[in-house]
């Protein structure tokens, strides 16, 4: 059993983010608010409610070092929240978007953040000291559909985006005055803002959930056609691996280490992918236990009788085991998992714990400490 | 006969399990709106190929999916008047009692004559689990 904590916070959770010391969690309970809960004496209590957005909050990110929360919503706005005293004070960010914002992430140095939107653009926002506000620069004319997910490379310059047109693109987001030009080799030598470094056209269905590995050498993203893509050597000739699996598509991924990735999605169960010594990725197993859904109820007999009549069969109708029960699915989560985040402990680079949240309103914390068969990949 | 029915229903069940991977997706055409893309059809990249499952000439099931909604159209065998009446009563029951979903359209889709367009689900919350339970009993 690897799930060490299961917390039912709301009826449905859109996205969540952890505070700097992992004792506070912020999430959106599928409405226009952000709830912040703190763990005190083994119990979770609601400490703040951030109400500023008009529509559902689609992305939350909490920067660990500067302790700022950035939220993005379907109402085309984004707010940066600063903790002053005991209250969270919002600062509106003029994104200049004309469609919903779908995802948001702080850069590794926390001086910029990226917002992906339904306007087929990505906004990179940075803080301008002279005017005391957040300015946004748009990357336009590159995406053919909504930008579903963004991920920053550890060097704070490269940004990977996935879109509903099935493509994953990598851009340079070098901003003069914010980023320092240090000697770099390889693909990041193109330092113009908005320059597209590479476009990966591997999936014929929608792409979600892009993430970089801890060193930034590998990229992983998922396609809605039940495939996960691993790309090495980002540059003019990238090396891509496709891993197809039999189950329902994934929504998000997380790099636990350089060689292990956890994927979460419509199967309600985290999936473990790992690379062997040669660097070939494959599916290892599900992380949680699978639950069988019991069939049969009062409703069933009424329908099956009626159905039986329609098909001219006997009055006793079809018994429930005439049709095979649906495949066992899920375990801890009852509904689609759409967000997976690491729970970092200071000083340790690999992730031993991570949390998942889903449409069932649960936030589940998983631990990889006692998984003997997975320890070689960490 | 029961054998082909089971195969037909299993096929529909499996297709629906894959098709019901829906998510909340705001409209790309109109700001601040959230529309079922399977009805809108303005962004072709958000639609998947429709699947038609035929048991025989008289019984078919058309499933059209998009990123946030899906439409199921069922054509049920109506050999004689009695079955016709029963079908109408049964489907009236379904349309009215399907409180678990948000039934968005009760009229049949164009170009499919004599078909009975059933349900269109626009997902925002837990529609998927409920829908699976509901249709499992139906099928």
């Amino acid at each position: 059993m690897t799930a060490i904590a299961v917390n039912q916070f709301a009826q449905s959770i859109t996205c969540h983010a952890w505070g700097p010391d992992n004792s506070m969690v912020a999430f959106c309970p599928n409405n226009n608010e952000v709830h912040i809960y703190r763990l005190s004496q083994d119990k979770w209590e609601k400490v703040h409610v951030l109400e500023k957005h008009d529509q559902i909050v689609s992305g939350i990110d909490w920067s660990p070092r500067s302790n700022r929360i950035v939220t993005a919503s379907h109402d085309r706005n984004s707010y940066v929240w600063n903790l002053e005293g005991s209250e969270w004070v919002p600062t509106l960010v003029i994104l200049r978007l004309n469609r919903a914002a779908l995802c948001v992430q702080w850069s590794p140095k926390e001086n910029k953040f990226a917002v992906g939107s339904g306007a087929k653009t990505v906004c990179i926002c940075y803080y301008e000291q002279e005017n005391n506000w957040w300015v946004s620069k748009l990357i336009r004319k590159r995406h053919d559909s909504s930008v579903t997910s963004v991920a920053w490379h550890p060097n704070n310059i490269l940004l990977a985006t996935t879109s509903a047109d099935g493509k994953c693109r990598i851009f340079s987001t070098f901003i003069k005055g914010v980023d320092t030009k240090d000697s770099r080799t390889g693909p990041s030598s193109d330092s113009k803002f908005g320059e597209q470094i590479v476009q990966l056209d591997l999936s014929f269905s929608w792409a979600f959930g892009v993430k970089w590995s801890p060193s930034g050498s590998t990229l992983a993203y998922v396609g809605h056609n039940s495939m996960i893509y691993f790309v090495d050597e980002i540059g003019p000739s990238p090396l891509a691996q496709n891993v197809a699996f039999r189950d329902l598509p994934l929504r998000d991924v997380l790099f636990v280490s350089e060689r292990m990735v956890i994927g979460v999605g419509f199967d309600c169960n985290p999936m473990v992918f790992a690379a062997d010594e040669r660097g070939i990725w494959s599916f290892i197993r599900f992380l949680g236990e699978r639950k069988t859904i019991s069939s049969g109820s009062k409703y069933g007999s009424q329908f099956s009788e009626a159905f039986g009549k329609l098909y001219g069969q006997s009055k006793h109708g079809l018994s429930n085991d005439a049709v095979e029960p649906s495949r066992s699915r899920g375990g801890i989560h009852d509904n689609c998992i759409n967000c997976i985040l690491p729970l970092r402990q200071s000083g340790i680079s690999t992730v031993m714990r991570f949390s998942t949240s889903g449409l069932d309103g649960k936030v589940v914390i998983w631990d990889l400490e006692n998984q003997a068969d997975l320890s070689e990949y960490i | 006969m029961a054998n082909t029915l089971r195969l037909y229903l299993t096929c529909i069940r499996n297709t629906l399990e894959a098709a019901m991977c829906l998510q909340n997706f705001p409209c790309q055409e109109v700001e601040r709106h959230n529309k079922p893309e399977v009805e809108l059809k303005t962004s072709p990249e958000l639609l998947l190929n429709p699947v038609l499952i035929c048991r025989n000439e008289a019984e078919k099931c058309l499933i059209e999916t998009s990123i946030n909604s899906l439409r199921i159209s069922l054509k049920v065998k109506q050999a004689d008047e009695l079955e016709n009446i029963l079908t109408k009563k049964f489907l009236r029951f379904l349309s009215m009692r399907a409180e678990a979903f948000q039934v968005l359209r009760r009229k049949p889709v164009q170009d499919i004559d004599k078909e009975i367009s059933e349900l269109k689900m626009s997902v925002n919350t837990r529609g998927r689990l409920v829908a699976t339970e509901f249709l499992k009993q139906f099928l």
Side-chain angles (χ1 to χ4, degrees):
Chain A
M1 187 73 161
T2 45
I4 55 174
V6 179
N7 305 302
Q8 179 86 39
F9 283 125
Q11 227 195 2
S12 191
I13 292 183
T14 324
C15 50
H16 72 288
W18 289 92
D21 52 356
N22 294 339
S23 67
M24 293 175 66
V25 65
F27 61 87
C28 169
N30 209 25
N31 57 14
N32 62 336
E33 302 168 348
V34 175
H35 292 198
I36 302 184
Y37 277 65
R38 180 189 291 134
L39 182 67
S40 48
Q41 288 128 30
D42 280 340
K43 260 173 29 118
W44 288 94
E45 48 179 48
K46 190 193 294 196
V47 287
H48 295 111
V49 173
L50 310 179
E51 281 176 294
K52 208 72 168 100
H53 286 288
D54 299 320
Q55 284 188 303
I56 195 173
V57 178
S58 49
I60 306 177
D61 202 12
W62 199 327
S63 59
R65 286 188 298 269
S66 44
N67 201 28
R68 284 187 291 220
I69 300 180
V70 61
T71 57
S73 156
H74 285 183
D75 64 359
R76 311 164 303 150
N77 289 333
S78 171
Y79 286 94
V80 174
W81 304 78
N82 284 289
L83 186 64
E84 284 167 26
S86 62
E87 285 299 311
W88 287 93
V89 176
T91 312
L92 175 65
V93 180
I94 312 285
L95 290 173
R96 296 182 285 142
L97 282 181
N98 53 8
R99 296 286 180 273
L102 297 176
C103 51
V104 66
Q105 206 187 46
W106 282 108
S107 69
K109 289 209 188 105
E110 294 166 21
N111 52 3
K112 299 189 281 192
F113 62 89
V115 180
S117 82
K120 311 180 189 179
T121 57
V122 179
C123 308
I124 312 291
C125 305
Y126 59 96
Y127 191 66
E128 211 167 66
Q129 196 63 44
E130 310 87 57
N131 299 345
N132 198 24
W133 71 342
W134 291 85
V135 178
S136 88
K137 286 187 85 161
L138 290 159
I139 302 179
R140 284 190 219 265
K141 288 200 178 88
R142 298 293 188 174
H143 297 271
D144 296 321
S145 190
S146 303
V147 179
T148 52
S149 179
V150 290
W152 288 93
H153 189 276
N155 70 2
N156 213 52
I157 309 284
L158 292 179
L159 181 77
T161 67
T162 51
S163 169
D165 61 5
K167 300 190 176 67
C168 174
R169 296 173 176 86
I170 300 173
F171 296 94
S172 159
T173 63
F174 182 85
I175 300 177
K176 260 168 60 162
V178 179
D179 294 309
T180 51
K181 202 173 189 157
D182 44 28
S183 57
R184 290 182 308 270
T185 53
S188 46
S189 52
D190 251 305
S191 49
K192 204 164 91 102
F193 179 85
E195 188 87 33
Q196 183 178 285
I197 310 291
V198 84
Q199 176 174 299
L200 301 161
D201 194 0
L202 300 168
S203 173
F204 52 83
S205 191
W206 316 308
F208 303 111
V210 63
K211 287 276 171 13
W212 294 90
S213 68
S215 68
S217 56
T218 315
L219 186 72
Y221 70 100
V222 291
H224 201 73
N225 46 353
S226 283
M227 292 189 64
I228 181 169
Y229 302 96
F230 299 95
V231 187
D232 288 299
E233 289 179 34
I234 314 293
S237 50
L239 294 171
Q241 289 180 49
N242 308 355
V243 178
F245 46 91
R246 335 179 10 211
D247 306 288
L248 294 181
L250 297 176
R251 287 288 308 278
D252 203 359
V253 292
L254 173 72
F255 267 94
V256 166
S257 69
E258 278 300 317
R259 286 171 52 200
M260 190 155 94
V261 163
I262 312 274
V264 288
F266 291 98
D267 263 317
C268 320
N269 213 335
M271 302 173 78
V272 181
F273 296 87
D276 58 13
E277 313 79 42
R278 296 168 299 152
I280 309 292
W281 290 86
S282 60
F283 169 62
I284 306 293
R285 64 176 174 93
F286 281 96
L287 207 52
E289 288 135 25
R290 310 191 82 178
K291 187 169 66 173
T292 41
I293 303 175
S294 60
S295 55
S297 77
K298 187 165 66 102
Y299 240 146
S301 56
Q302 289 174 3
F303 273 122
S304 48
E305 273 195 30
F307 210 71
K309 279 192 192 137
L310 275 181
Y311 282 92
Q313 279 168 356
S314 76
K315 216 171 204 178
H316 300 292
L318 306 161
S319 61
N320 272 327
D321 48 4
V323 185
E324 290 98 53
S326 71
R327 268 188 316 162
S328 58
R329 171 164 300 112
I332 318 286
H333 277 284
D334 303 315
N335 210 330
C336 169
I337 308 177
N338 52 15
C339 190
I340 178 170
L341 289 174
L343 285 170
R344 292 191 194 282
Q345 290 137 322
S346 54
I348 308 176
S349 64
T350 54
V351 175
M352 291 310 287
R353 287 188 179 189
F354 58 90
S355 68
T356 57
S357 77
L359 296 180
D360 55 352
K362 293 188 189 158
V363 175
V364 180
I365 302 176
W366 305 78
D367 196 330
L368 295 168
E369 201 71 56
N370 300 322
Q371 305 296 305
D373 56 333
L374 302 174
S375 54
E376 54 170 302
Y377 300 109
I378 297 180
Chain B
M1 177 179 166
N3 213 11
T4 55
L5 175 67
R6 192 185 308 187
L7 283 175
Y8 175 58
L9 297 181
T10 316
C11 188
I12 296 183
R13 172 197 300 285
N14 291 338
T15 315
L16 273 179
E17 271 179 3
M20 270 206 243
C21 294
L22 309 171
Q23 53 185 288
N24 195 357
F25 193 80
C27 186
Q28 283 181 166
E29 310 300 319
V30 186
E31 53 179 280
R32 294 167 166 266
H33 276 231
N34 201 319
K35 297 175 191 284
E37 296 293 332
V38 76
E39 194 75 341
L40 210 56
K41 292 199 175 134
T42 47
S43 302
E45 76 269 8
L46 299 176
L47 304 172
L48 295 180
N49 293 327
V51 177
L52 183 66
I53 303 164
C54 302
R55 186 185 176 192
N56 48 45
E57 190 42 54
E59 289 181 37
K60 303 184 221 192
C61 175
L62 175 70
I63 298 174
E64 300 160 273
T65 329
S66 72
I67 194 166
N68 61 358
S69 44
L70 79 106
R71 182 190 295 125
I72 309 167
S73 309
L74 299 172
K75 187 170 187 319
V76 174
K77 181 174 74 134
Q78 288 154 73
D80 51 19
E81 271 310 306
L82 178 62
E83 285 202 347
N84 220 348
I85 296 168
L86 282 171
T87 315
K88 282 203 165 61
K89 281 197 183 298
F90 184 51
L91 290 161
R92 225 166 61 99
F93 173 79
L94 270 183
S95 309
M96 291 197 290
R97 294 294 298 167
E99 287 141 359
F101 327 95
Q102 292 170 289
V103 179
L104 290 173
R105 179 200 266 261
R106 289 190 171 88
K107 293 207 176 308
V109 179
Q110 284 168 333
D111 299 338
I112 303 173
D113 46 26
K114 287 199 197 156
E115 278 201 30
I116 305 152
S117 240
E118 285 277 335
L119 307 159
K120 223 159 39 74
M121 293 170 276
S122 167
V123 78
N124 204 7
T125 50
R126 323 176 56 180
R128 179 170 187 257
L129 186 65
V130 179
T132 316
E133 269 302 307
F134 179 81
L135 281 166
K136 207 157 40 81
Q137 276 122 35
F138 171 51
L139 296 172

